[in-house]
């Protein structure tokens, strides 16, 4: 008997070790330089799609590869620009923004509209007529009291450009403080402006920072020496096809096999950090946790479920475009490979590789799942892992949201944000791979239960509501540099770290600290903290108080804009 017990545990241990080995091997491939950070539109992302597709075929599953168009970058097919008869060189004197529209004109006057805001309480176009003119506006907005109280939506650069176009401008110049124009790149989001948009150093037009500061403080007619522009711009979008990979595991029950459980994870990451990076643009962003961890989790769950014959059919979907705004999951829900009414549940794995060894907390958020189903799923959790079930506003940030909006109940498996998020430091060495095995063990039980229960209730509108508490919209956003610890939601704002070089790091905040006061405002949770951030502007000096091991600390901080 004793020998049988020893044999049993040795088999369990070797099986677990083999799963860890497979996780490490698969992740090591996904984060390798030849996959180029799995950026959307890159060859590396297609290699990743080939990889998961091959693995599902090896399990004997039916695999489908769905693609959809995505504008990966834009190029200037042709550009000619003269400023009062002097030819400007693209890339040196002037450049187009990636969101620029096409256009051609001659002898258009250039007008200076300060920061380019026009609302019911402010008019930077006072005394000037933009119709038929080229409007020059500052990229940056001075940190002055006059800017406070203006909605962020009005301050965004793309909104100020579109305002000028709607007022009749034939082109917009974005004035740069530096001595060179911005390099052409695809702007974040699918935005294309209705008129040409140029990046030009302000000094070339004789505009100074003092002039911009003055115009921001006191909107009034401002005239430049007579300058005209001749311009022809023809932009060319460069489209790519992004992949969604789907594998179907047929259910074993004659009736329930017509119903589906979707198990998903996004395959893409940030490539070389061209967009959305919090680290260093131009460097490989491997995305080990985000989301190679979720990708390999699906492969392991498919392997386990293949030998356990769930009654309902299970659809594994690897989405692209998540980092660009849930593009792949939105497309899949709009063009599903199985009927939407037959999908009874969706389970999403995004960043499941950083289970804290000292304080293991797995966040399992549910959108649209009944409380009874949630409690049943929580009951399978290992005793040594705490389940955090309320992610608040963070719950809507991944692909399960596309299913929740289609009124499909969903779960979100997530081990938390960290300081390496969206940086080149999100590497395999920082993962807790044994912790991933524990999550796989738990997730397997949850999926088995959902796939085998006689009936799954429909979308629950009570749990399907994301926390609607809204933070005020500040004139500018403050970059403080704290990383939330979602395992603690009351008694202050607990952090799991700070970003390097941030204000939070400079004043001495550390992982595990709990902020209790910010600029004289009492902080009870993350929502209080977000509201407090919205009350200040760059340059404000405040006092921050926090608890560390039960002791109160405080420091002055000079806030910086994002």
């Amino acid at each position: 008997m004793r020998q049988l017990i020893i044999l049993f545990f040795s088999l369990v241990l070797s099986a677990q070790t083999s799963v860890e080995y497979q996780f490490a091997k698969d992740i090591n491939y996904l984060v390798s330089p030849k996959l180029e950070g799995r950026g959307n539109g890159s060859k590396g992302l297609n290699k990743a799609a080939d990889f998961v597709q091959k693995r599902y075929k090896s399990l004997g599953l039916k695999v489908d590869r769905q693609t959809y168009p995505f504008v990966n970058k834009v190029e200037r097919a042709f550009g000619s620009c003269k400023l009062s008869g002097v030819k400007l060189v693209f890339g040196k004197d002037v450049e187009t923004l990636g969101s620029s529209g096409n256009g051609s004109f001659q002898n258009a006057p250039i007008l200076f509209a300060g920061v380019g805001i026009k609302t019911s309480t402010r008019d930077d176009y006072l005394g000037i007529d933009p119709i038929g003119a080229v409007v020059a506006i500052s990229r940056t907005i001075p940190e002055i009291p006059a800017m406070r109280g203006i909605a962020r939506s009005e301050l965004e650069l793309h909104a100020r450009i579109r305002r000028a176009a709607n007022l009749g401008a034939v082109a917009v110049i974005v004035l740069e403080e530096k001595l060179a124009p911005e390099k052409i790149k695809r702007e974040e989001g699918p935005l294309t402006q209705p008129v040409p948009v140029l990046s030009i150093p302000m000094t070339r037009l004789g505009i100074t920072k003092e002039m911009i500061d003055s115009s921001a403080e006191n909107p009034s007619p401002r005239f430049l020496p007579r300058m005209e522009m001749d311009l022809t711009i023809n932009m060319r979008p460069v489209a790519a096809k992004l992949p969604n990979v789907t594998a179907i595991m047929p259910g074993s029950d004659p009736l329930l096999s017509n119903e589906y459980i979707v198990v998903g994870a996004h395959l893409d990451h940030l490539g070389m950090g061209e967009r959305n990076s919090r680290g260093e643009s131009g460097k490989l962003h491997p995305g080990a946790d985000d989301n190679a961890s979720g990708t390999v989790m699906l492969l392991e769950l498919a392997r386990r479920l293949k030998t356990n014959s769930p009654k309902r059919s299970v659809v594994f979907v690897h989405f692209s475009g998540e980092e660009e705004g849930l593009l792949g999951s939105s497309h899949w829900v709009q063009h599903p490979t199985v009927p939407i009414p037959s999908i009874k549940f969706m389970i999403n794995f995004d960043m499941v590789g950083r289970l804290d060894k000292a304080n293991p907390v797995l966040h399992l958020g549910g959108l649209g799942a009944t409380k009874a189903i949630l409690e049943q799923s929580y009951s399978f959790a290992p005793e040594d892992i705490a389940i955090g079930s309320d992610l608040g506003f963070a719950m809507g940030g991944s692909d399960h949201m596309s299913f929740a909006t289609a009124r499909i109940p969903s779960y979100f498996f997530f081990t938390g944000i960290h300081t390496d998020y969206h940086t080149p430091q999100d590497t395999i060495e920082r993962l807790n791979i044994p912790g991933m095995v524990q999550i796989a063990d738990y997730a397997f039980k949850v999926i088995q239960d959902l796939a085998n229960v006689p009936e799954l209730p429909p979308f629950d509108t009570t749990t399907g509501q994301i926390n609607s508490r809204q933070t005020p919209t500040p004139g500018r956003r403050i970059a403080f540099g704290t990383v939330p610890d979602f395992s603690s939601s009351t008694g202050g704002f607990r952090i799991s770290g700070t970003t390097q070089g941030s204000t939070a790091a400079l004043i001495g905040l550390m992982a595990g600290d709990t902020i209790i006061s910010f600029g004289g405002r009492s902080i009870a949770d993350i929502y209080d903290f977000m509201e407090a951030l919205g009350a200040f502007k760059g340059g404000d000096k405040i006092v921050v108080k926090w608890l560390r091991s039960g002791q109160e600390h405080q420091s002055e901080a000079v806030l910086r804009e994002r």
Side-chain angles (χ1 to χ4, degrees):
M1 185 67 177
R2 183 173 178 272
Q3 289 178 331
L4 288 175
I5 293 174
I6 293 173
L7 176 63
F8 172 76
F9 280 111
S10 66
L11 288 173
V12 170
L13 180 61
S14 63
Q16 185 170 357
T17 303
S18 69
V19 175
E20 291 178 14
Y21 171 81
Q22 193 65 55
F23 273 160
K25 181 180 177 182
D26 291 346
I27 294 171
N28 197 52
Y29 174 75
L30 291 171
V31 302
S32 62
K34 63 183 177 182
L35 263 66
E36 307 171 295
R38 308 186 307 282
N40 287 291
S42 70
K43 292 180 181 178
L45 180 60
N46 284 318
K47 289 179 180 178
D50 293 340
F51 170 73
V52 297
Q53 190 168 333
K54 183 178 179 180
R55 289 288 293 276
Y56 286 119
K57 285 184 176 179
S58 71
L59 292 173
L61 302 185
K62 179 183 176 182
V63 181
D64 177 63
R65 188 154 171 168
Q66 178 188 69
T67 62
Y68 58 96
F70 169 72
V71 176
N72 183 41
K73 60 181 180 178
V74 290
E75 298 175 340
R76 178 176 21 82
F78 179 80
S80 175
C81 182
K82 289 184 178 180
L83 181 63
S84 295
V86 178
K87 185 177 181 179
L88 301 185
V89 178
F90 278 90
K92 177 183 177 183
D93 308 315
V94 61
E95 191 51 275
T96 48
L97 265 65
S99 60
S100 174
N102 298 325
S104 182
F105 55 81
Q106 291 183 324
N107 303 320
I110 299 176
L111 304 177
F112 176 47
V115 294
I117 296 172
K118 183 179 175 65
T119 66
S120 59
T121 59
R122 180 187 177 92
D123 188 1
D124 287 333
Y125 292 88
L126 185 66
I128 62 174
D129 183 5
I131 297 176
V134 177
V135 171
I137 62 173
S138 170
R139 175 183 290 273
T140 59
I141 295 178
E143 289 287 350
I144 59 172
M147 292 294 105
R148 297 189 65 177
I150 298 176
R152 184 187 302 170
S153 59
E154 296 287 345
L155 293 170
E156 297 287 354
L157 180 60
H158 68 82
R160 293 183 283 133
I161 293 171
R162 190 165 290 270
R163 173 73 70 182
N166 291 341
L167 291 173
V170 294
V172 176
I173 294 173
V174 177
L175 299 168
E176 311 290 356
E177 292 185 7
K178 57 186 182 180
L179 299 179
E182 281 287 323
K183 293 182 180 180
I184 186 171
K185 62 181 180 180
R186 189 185 76 80
E187 308 296 319
E188 292 182 17
L191 184 68
T192 299
Q193 297 289 355
V195 297
V197 185
L198 305 174
S199 170
I200 297 180
M202 63 174 66
T203 53
R204 183 163 288 279
L205 300 185
I207 295 174
T208 64
K209 189 175 185 304
E210 289 71 26
M211 292 172 63
I212 291 174
D213 291 345
S214 175
S215 66
E217 185 71 53
N218 180 29
S220 59
R222 295 166 299 280
F223 301 98
L224 297 173
R226 177 71 181 182
M227 286 188 287
E228 295 180 339
M229 178 171 281
D230 300 345
L231 181 70
T232 299
I233 288 294
N234 185 9
M235 302 294 291
R236 176 172 55 210
V238 180
K241 292 285 188 179
L242 299 189
N244 287 333
V245 177
T246 303
I248 297 180
M249 182 177 294
S252 59
D253 185 272
L255 294 178
L256 292 181
S257 62
N258 295 316
E259 298 179 357
Y260 295 88
I261 305 295
V262 172
V263 183
H266 75 87
L267 188 61
D268 62 306
H269 193 52
L270 302 186
M272 300 301 290
E274 296 89 346
R275 294 181 293 275
N276 303 320
S277 171
R278 294 175 58 248
E280 187 176 341
S281 180
K283 293 186 67 174
L284 178 72
H285 285 55
D289 189 27
D290 186 16
N291 186 34
S293 65
T295 300
V296 303
M297 187 68 67
L298 262 62
L299 298 177
E300 171 61 16
L301 291 170
R303 183 191 67 80
R304 296 188 187 195
L305 288 166
K306 185 69 169 64
T307 60
N308 285 272
S309 302
K311 293 181 179 180
R312 287 184 176 83
S313 298
V314 179
V315 185
F316 299 91
V317 191
H318 295 262
F319 304 108
S320 57
E322 193 271 353
E323 302 289 6
E324 300 287 344
L326 312 186
L327 300 183
S329 54
S330 296
H331 181 83
W332 196 91
V333 169
Q334 294 169 20
H335 305 87
T337 54
V338 298
I340 286 291
S342 66
I343 300 174
K344 300 304 177 184
F345 218 94
M346 190 272 177
I347 304 170
N348 183 34
F349 295 86
D350 190 356
M351 298 177 63
V352 289
R354 293 285 194 101
L355 189 68
D356 191 305
K357 295 178 181 179
N359 181 32
V361 177
L362 171 67
H363 302 286
L364 176 57
L367 279 176
T370 64
K371 292 181 179 179
I373 289 290
L374 282 165
E375 290 175 0
Q376 175 73 1
S377 295
Y378 296 157
S379 70
F380 300 124
E383 291 184 0
D384 57 343
I385 295 180
I387 302 298
S389 59
D390 181 14
L391 296 181
F393 70 88
M395 185 168 292
S398 190
D399 290 309
H400 58 287
M401 194 62 193
S402 298
F403 289 79
T405 55
R407 300 181 68 80
I408 296 170
S410 65
Y411 281 163
F412 178 29
F413 280 72
F414 173 60
T415 54
I417 292 286
H418 44 77
T419 55
D420 300 323
Y421 170 71
H422 279 196
T423 75
Q425 285 71 50
D426 183 7
T427 58
I428 188 171
E429 293 81 8
R430 306 191 180 194
L431 298 183
N432 178 2
I433 292 181
M436 290 180 59
V437 176
Q438 288 183 285
I439 294 171
D441 294 341
Y442 174 40
F444 173 63
K445 294 176 182 177
V446 170
I447 295 171
Q448 266 198 317
D449 181 61
L450 294 173
N452 291 327
V453 294
E455 185 177 0
L456 284 171
F459 189 82
D460 188 319
T461 55
T462 302
T463 66
Q465 294 178 355
I466 294 179
N467 195 315
S468 61
R469 182 174 175 182
Q470 299 293 319
T471 59
T473 302
R476 301 303 301 266
R477 293 187 296 173
I478 297 300
F480 190 60
T482 51
V483 180
D485 180 352
F486 289 112
S487 66
S488 177
S489 59
T490 59
F493 170 47
R494 182 182 169 91
I495 66 172
S496 62
T498 60
T499 55
Q500 186 175 3
S502 66
T503 305
L506 291 174
I507 68 172
L509 281 164
M510 299 169 57
D513 289 345
T514 300
I515 298 174
I516 56 174
S517 178
F518 191 89
R521 292 168 172 257
S522 179
I523 306 298
D525 53 29
I526 189 172
Y527 301 104
D528 284 344
F529 179 71
M530 296 298 290
E531 288 180 356
L533 282 182
F536 298 98
K537 66 180 188 303
D540 284 348
K541 181 182 288 187
I542 66 165
V543 174
V544 182
K545 297 180 181 180
W546 66 92
L547 296 177
R548 178 181 297 163
S549 301
Q551 299 296 313
E552 183 173 315
H553 301 259
Q554 71 175 48
S555 176
E556 282 192 342
V558 179
L559 301 179
R560 294 181 289 185
E561 67 178 70
R562 187 176 299 279

